[in-house]
DNA sequence: AAAATATTTTAGACTTGTCTAAAATTAATA
DNA sequence: TATTAATTTTAGACAAGTCTAAAATATTTT
């Protein structure tokens, strides 16, 4: 079995792994979990002993298929609880993350299955992130980072990569929530910022820092 | 703040306190938590430092008003989650205890409040135990142990004091669930056993061991 | 390629919660 | 009441997870 501390490490390593297939560096994990590199090294050894990660001293870690499955099951629970908190308990999308962070460690496959059914088998959480299925498969539906887009056009916001309340509140103020449809009208080559316009003609400016955290999909 | 281990100790002490106002002995707590007396002594010192219990060496502990408030808030969460698991996720009454034992430590007053509202402000959990209100007040509604009953008559089963799956399954097989109405037809002075009869004329025998764990109320 | 810098790991210590075995205290018995 | 028995506490140790400071390894700069 895995402790909730181990689960948090695996989740962090999994998230840092997606996108780049390189090893994840100790310092990156430490930063992401707000802990010291020394602690990370200790835990990595433990996870390596359990075959959850492949570890090479001074070279970082790669998550194994086994570790990934654990991470995905935690992420699945996390996102299902987020849906519960928002749909049923009427929390706002910037309030659910921290609570789900606690609920995700209650480990019962049966409960997770029933929760899933009770919520109507949702495919995405309130932030637009896909909910892994029972087998740990993630259906991304062709989402890409807005910062990776090179062609002007019409897009729909599917999700975010930063779940901090402050970021979410910022987005909401700008009118950007999952489902928002907008067109890119201007892209600045120099600082990678862009200008977008909503269907209601309202136009806003988006910096590189923001667009790096927005998941979008082509719209039409 | 309290750790979930501290919370489990406080809950155990609270439960062992109700009924008798004497001090709770170290060994009783150890038994209830399946741990050693030495561990209990250690934790009791910690809880005493936090003014959660009054401790006298070799004499046991008394829970303080402060400790009781913590215990009751945990019990409130526990029972609300039990209602959720049974009403919403359709678990059976003998399956909810262990899961609620984990969920109860997710500590957010706001979430508890919303959960309470979402469930329709239930007053009792699936085992018939009263759910403490926000202020930590318990409304027992005049429930007493069946083993304390001295007068024959008609009673209704409101709850149980043993939440183990095996006990609950035993009761269910006998036709005893919260809400069951029955009449005591015979009471044995010698072994404190009794014979009861349901409205459908089915009659069963109840030993002292069983009746000690059944909460009943006068019916009419 | 050697020196300087940054990162990672080790070493040793701390906290929480646990244990066993021995000492202290209380309760029971003769 | 003195001795025996039972219970409780202390003492010392362990595991998990964390930390700081020092040593080891990598990376960057000159």
């Amino acid at each position: 079995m895995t402790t909730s501390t181990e689960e948090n490490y695996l989740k962090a390593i999994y998230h840092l792994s997606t996108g780049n297939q390189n090893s994840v560096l100790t310092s990156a994990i430490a930063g992401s979990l707000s802990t010291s590199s020394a602690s990370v090294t200790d835990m990595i050894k433990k996870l390596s002993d359990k075959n959850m990660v492949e570890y090479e001293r001074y070279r970082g870690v790669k998550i194994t298929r086994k570790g990934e499955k654990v991470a995905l099951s935690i992420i699945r629970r996390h996102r299902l609880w987020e849906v519960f908190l928002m749909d049923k308990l009427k929390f706002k999308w910037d309030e659910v993350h921290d609570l789900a962070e606690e609920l995700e460690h209650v480990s019962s496959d049966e409960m997770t299955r029933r929760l899933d059914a009770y919520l109507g088998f949702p495919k995405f959480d309130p932030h637009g992130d896909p909910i892994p299925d029972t087998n740990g498969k993630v259906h991304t539906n062709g989402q890409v980072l807005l910062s990776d887009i090179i062609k002007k056009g019409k897009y729909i916001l599917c999700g975010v990569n930063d779940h901090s309340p402050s970021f979410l509140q910022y987005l909401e103020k700008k009118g950007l929530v999952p489902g928002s449809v907008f067109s890119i009208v201007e892209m600045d080559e120099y600082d990678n910022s862009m200008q977008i316009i909503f269907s209601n003609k309202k136009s806003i400016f988006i910096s590189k820092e923001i667009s790096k955290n927005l998941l979008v999909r082509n719209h039409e």
Side-chain angles (χ1 to χ4, degrees), chain A residues 14-81:
Chain A
Y14 173 82
H15 280 132
L16 292 166
S17 297
T18 52
N20 66 336
Q21 61 207 298
N22 313 333
S23 287
V24 177
L25 296 177
T26 306
S27 52
I29 302 167
S32 153
L33 292 174
S34 303
T35 186
S36 73
S37 294
S39 305
V40 174
T41 302
D42 287 345
M43 179 53 86
I44 277 174
K45 283 183 195 154
K46 210 175 138 192
L47 291 173
S48 180
D49 288 347
K50 292 193 175 184
N51 295 313
M52 297 290 187
V53 297
E54 277 174 37
Y55 174 45
E56 232 183 309
R57 280 159 76 260
Y58 292 99
R59 282 282 143 73
V61 291
K62 271 203 180 77
I63 197 162
T64 63
R65 183 69 194 126
K66 189 180 172 195
E68 194 174 69
K69 281 189 89 168
V70 174
L72 284 166
S73 92
I74 310 302
I75 291 169
R76 173 171 157 78
R77 286 188 222 140
H78 180 104
R79 294 182 179 165
L80 285 173
W81 278 120

Side-chain angles (χ1 to χ4, degrees), chain A residues 119-168:
Chain A
L119 298 172
F121 305 103
K123 295 288 167 282
F124 298 92
D125 78 7
H127 308 107
D129 297 304
I131 297 172
D133 67 21
T134 326
N135 307 310
K137 193 156 279 175
V138 188
H139 303 90
T140 48
N141 260 40
Q143 300 179 354
V144 283
L145 289 180
L146 180 54
S147 55
D148 290 340
I149 297 279
I150 47 171
K151 235 175 35 196
K152 286 185 196 176
K154 213 167 177 182
Y155 295 92
I156 180 167
L157 182 67
C158 329
V160 297
N161 265 348
D162 175 352
H163 302 87
S164 68
S166 57
F167 181 66
L168 300 177

